[in-house]
Every structure is written in structure tokens, then in C-alpha cells.
């Protein structure tokens, strides 16, 4: 890429956790008095220059980007100083506010005193806790107020990030009704007829054939959707597709024994129901219904379905 000559990669034959990578790159990271650690799955528009300015102004050893939720595990006092993490230091929760670490922090090179001398699997958070306990340095927070933040650690959050940013940037195609979802497509993309429903993000060289139904999807570079194909809530590549809810469906007991390498998932339209409907294709076609645990009609739905199937009416066998 255009930044290729400014990037240095550090291979980990064995995963080194959150602290080990810093030790692995110690020589590079120690060239200056401080560096920024940015988790690769964090998407944000937070001002990192302001983070650096806060770090230098306070003289902290570590300055952590923070926000309220989704995992409030840092106890922060009124001065913005971290006084406990995960309850490990025994500080009184009434003396501060609980906040979430946002996966980005600025670290002074003195912090290496609390990391191993050789690369190994270790935790940066454990090292920070040890530093606070020993009084060897301070940990401050940086909360820029209103900013975009998303942890892309799941397929669901990856899809949500595309939708949120498309809405934020008001990405719309001319000629579509005003209530149509946002669409962002490369200049050489063929969108087919009818145009996609919901939101769409399509990379270079994507093709959607006429008659295909594409709704709330992300098309990676070179993806092609054939005539009359049906895709809802999917990430589509040149030779594969992954459903937004794949990780959740894979854990269902009813799906035990499924050969996921040959099973394709696509959503079916939901019309005001709390149930989710999916078509599973693995040689046979199956419809999976996922119902809320509080759905009072679930047992009746199953009983009626079995009764109708027993009468040899053309209803699906459950």
C-alpha cells in the first residue's frame, strides 16, 4: 500500500497475548519516549493527537481511551486517574466512576519495566495493575466526549459498523426513494435490477445480476451475485458468503453435527415477528426458526406443525 514503507510487521509463531507484542517490538517502540497501542479490531474517529497531548500534559505512564460501556471495568476518580481495574486493587467503587477501556492507549517507554525482558504470552492489563499496585507510575484516562467507537470483534459488529457509518455519511444513491437504506458502491459496481434493499456496501468489481435479491449486505472486492440468488444480512466474497448471525447459529444445540464447511445460511424476511427465520442449504434445504425464549406461542407452533404434518397436508416436517 502507499504506507508500505512505513509499516514494520512482527511475526508471532505463538500468540503473545496483549503484552507480549510490545516486548516483541521493544526496540522499535523504545526509539521515542512514548508510543500508541491501537487494537486492530477497534474502529473509531477519536482524536489520537488529543490523546497524545493529554498523555504529555498529565505526565502519565499510561493514558487509556475510555468510554461509558459496554464493559465498564475501570474505576476512575474525579481527576481522570485509574484507581482500580477489574476490582483487583480493592478500591472502593464509591470513590470513582466505572468506565470501559476503548482498546487504545498511549504508553511511555518506562512501562517496559513491568513487562518481561523476552517475548512471551503475557497481559498488558496485568502489567498495568502491577504498576498501579507498586506505585511505579500513573494511569490516566482520555475521554473525548462524543465520538464513534466500535469493537469489530464479531461478524455482527462488523456489519453494524458498515451500516452506522453509511448512515452517518448519508451515503445514498440518486433515484431511490427517500426511505431506502444507505448504499456505498465503487464506481465499477453493477447493482442489478431491482436495486438492493436495505443497506449495501460494495467494493470494486462487484456484480449483482438481474433478479437477485440483496438486502443489508456487504460485498467484498470481486464478489458476484447470480440471477435470482437471495441474500439478506450477509458478507459476500468472490467465492463464499458468511451470514451475520453465523456464530450464534453455530452454537445452537439443534445445529449440532452440521457440516458448516458445506452449509450456506441466508435470512428469510421477518414481518414484525420476534422470530428469526433462516434457510440452510447443505445438500438439503431446511428452514431454521429461532424463537425468543419468552415466546408463549412457541410450543403451540410446534404442536400445530406436527399435527398438520401427520395429516399428510403439505406442511413442513419439524
Amino acid at each position: 500500500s502507499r504506507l508500505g514503507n512505513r509499516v514494520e510487521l512482527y511475526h508471532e509463531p505463538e500468540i503473545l497475548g496483549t503484552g507480549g507484542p510490545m516486548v516483541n517490538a521493544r526496540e522499535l517502540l523504545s526509539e521515542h519516549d512514548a508510543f500508541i497501542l491501537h487494537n486492530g479490531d477497534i474502529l473509531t474517529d477519536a482524536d489520537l493527537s488529543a490523546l497524545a497531548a493529554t498523555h504529555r500534559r498529565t505526565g502519565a505512564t499510561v493514558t487509556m481511551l475510555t468510554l461509558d460501556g459496554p464493559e465498564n471495568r475501570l474505576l476512575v476518580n474525579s481527576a481522570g486517574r485509574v484507581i482500580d481495574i477489574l476490582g483487583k486493587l480493592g478500591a472502593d467503587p464509591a470513590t470513582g466512576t466505572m468506565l470501559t477501556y476503548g482498546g487504545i492507549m498511549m504508553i511511555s517507554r518506562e512501562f517496559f519495566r513491568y513487562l518481561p525482558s523476552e517475548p512471551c504470552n503475557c497481559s498488558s492489563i496485568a502489567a498495568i495493575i502491577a504498576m498501579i499496585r507498586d506505585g511505579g507510575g500513573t494511569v490516566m484516562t482520555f475521554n473525548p466526549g462524543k465520538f464513534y467507537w466500535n469493537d469489530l470483534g464479531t461478524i455482527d459488529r462488523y456489519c453494524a459498523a458498515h451500516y452506522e457509518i453509511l448512515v452517518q455519511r448519508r451515503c445514498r444513491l440518486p433515484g431511490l426513494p427517500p426511505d431506502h437504506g444507505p448504499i456505498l458502491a465503487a464506481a465499477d459496481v453493477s447493482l442489478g435490477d431491482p436495486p438492493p434493499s436495505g443497506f449495501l456496501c460494495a467494493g470494486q468489481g462487484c456484480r449483482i445480476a438481474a433478479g437477485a435479491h440483496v438486502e443489508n449486505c456487504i460485498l467484498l472486492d470481486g464478489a458476484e451475485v447470480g440471477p435470482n440468488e437471495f441474500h439478506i444480512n450477509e458478507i459476500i466474497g468472490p467465492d463464499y458468503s458468511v451470514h451475520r448471525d453465523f456464530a450464534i447459529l453455530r452454537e445452537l444445540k439443534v445445529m449440532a453435527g452440521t457440516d458448516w464447511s458445506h452449509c450456506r445460511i441466508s435470512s428469510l424476511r421477518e414481518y414484525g415477528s420476534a422470530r428469526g427465520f433462516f434457510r440452510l442449504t447443505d445438500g438439503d434445504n431446511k428452514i431454521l426458526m429461532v424463537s425468543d425464549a419468552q415466546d408463549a406461542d412457541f410450543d403451540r407452533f410446534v404442536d400445530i406443525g406436527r399435527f398438520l404434518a401427520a395429516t399428510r397436508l403439505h406442511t413442513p416436517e419439524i
Side-chain angles (χ1 to χ4, degrees):
S1 77
R2 62 187 177 83
L3 299 177
N5 63 348
R6 300 173 59 188
V7 174
E8 190 159 345
L9 302 178
Y10 290 83
H11 180 57
E12 298 181 18
E14 296 181 8
I15 297 297
L16 298 179
T18 57
M22 287 187 279
V23 180
N24 203 19
R26 181 199 300 265
E27 183 177 352
L28 172 67
L29 299 180
S30 297
E31 288 181 2
H32 299 279
D33 62 335
F35 58 92
I36 291 178
L37 178 74
H38 193 309
N39 288 0
D41 57 1
I42 297 299
L43 181 65
T44 183
D45 61 1
D47 186 347
L48 300 187
S49 295
L51 167 66
T54 298
H55 183 78
R56 299 193 187 286
R57 175 175 52 80
T58 62
T61 311
V62 176
T63 302
M64 307 174 84
L65 174 74
T66 57
L67 61 149
D68 185 9
E71 297 181 355
N72 290 338
R73 297 174 180 175
L74 303 180
L75 184 62
V76 180
N77 68 15
S78 58
R81 181 170 177 172
V82 177
I83 55 178
D84 205 348
I85 302 176
L86 300 170
K88 299 289 187 180
L89 299 172
D92 183 357
T95 60
T97 302
M98 299 299 294
L99 294 173
T100 291
Y101 164 51
I104 302 172
M105 55 183 164
M106 190 158 187
I107 303 171
S108 295
R109 61 185 171 197
E110 291 78 20
F111 181 67
F112 280 111
R113 291 180 296 168
Y114 291 89
L115 292 171
S117 57
E118 297 296 328
C120 64
N121 190 319
C122 60
S123 165
S124 59
I125 298 300
I128 290 173
I129 291 172
M131 183 183 72
I132 297 174
R133 181 182 288 117
D134 295 348
T138 59
V139 181
M140 300 299 291
T141 60
F142 170 69
N143 192 325
K146 187 177 181 180
F147 67 106
Y148 182 82
W149 183 91
N150 197 327
D151 180 351
L152 304 180
T154 66
I155 296 176
D156 184 34
R157 293 309 305 155
Y158 177 79
C159 292
H162 282 76
Y163 175 74
E164 291 164 0
I165 292 173
L166 293 180
V167 169
Q168 189 180 77
R169 294 187 177 182
R170 297 183 174 88
C171 297
R172 298 193 178 279
L173 292 185
L176 294 178
D179 59 346
H180 194 285
I183 294 180
L184 178 64
D188 62 348
V189 169
S190 174
L191 293 178
D193 184 28
S197 304
F199 84 87
L200 175 78
C201 187
Q204 294 181 350
C206 293
R207 296 287 181 269
I208 301 175
H213 183 97
V214 177
E215 181 175 344
N216 298 335
C217 287
I218 300 165
L219 274 62
L220 305 181
D221 289 355
E224 295 190 7
V225 177
N228 303 315
E229 288 188 18
F230 188 91
H231 297 270
I232 296 182
N233 300 328
E234 296 178 50
I235 302 167
I236 304 170
D239 56 359
Y240 64 90
S241 63
V242 179
H243 193 275
R244 178 195 65 190
D245 299 327
F246 167 75
I248 298 171
L249 301 181
R250 183 177 55 183
E251 299 302 319
L252 296 176
K253 290 181 181 179
V254 72
M255 301 307 298
T258 300
D259 181 1
W260 291 106
S261 64
H262 293 86
C263 182
R264 185 178 171 277
I265 306 170
S266 58
S267 290
L268 296 178
R269 269 247 177 87
E270 301 155 11
Y271 293 96
S273 171
R275 300 169 185 151
F277 294 87
F278 306 87
R279 176 182 285 118
L280 309 177
T281 307
D282 58 355
D284 295 322
N285 277 327
K286 303 181 181 72
I287 301 299
L288 172 68
M289 182 184 82
V290 180
S291 183
D292 186 277
Q294 308 304 316
D295 186 352
D297 285 328
F298 180 79
D299 290 336
R300 288 190 285 271
F301 181 96
V302 174
D303 290 341
I304 292 170
R306 286 176 172 161
F307 169 78
L308 293 174
T311 64
R312 299 183 182 276
L313 295 172
H314 292 287
T315 56
E317 179 185 358
I318 298 176

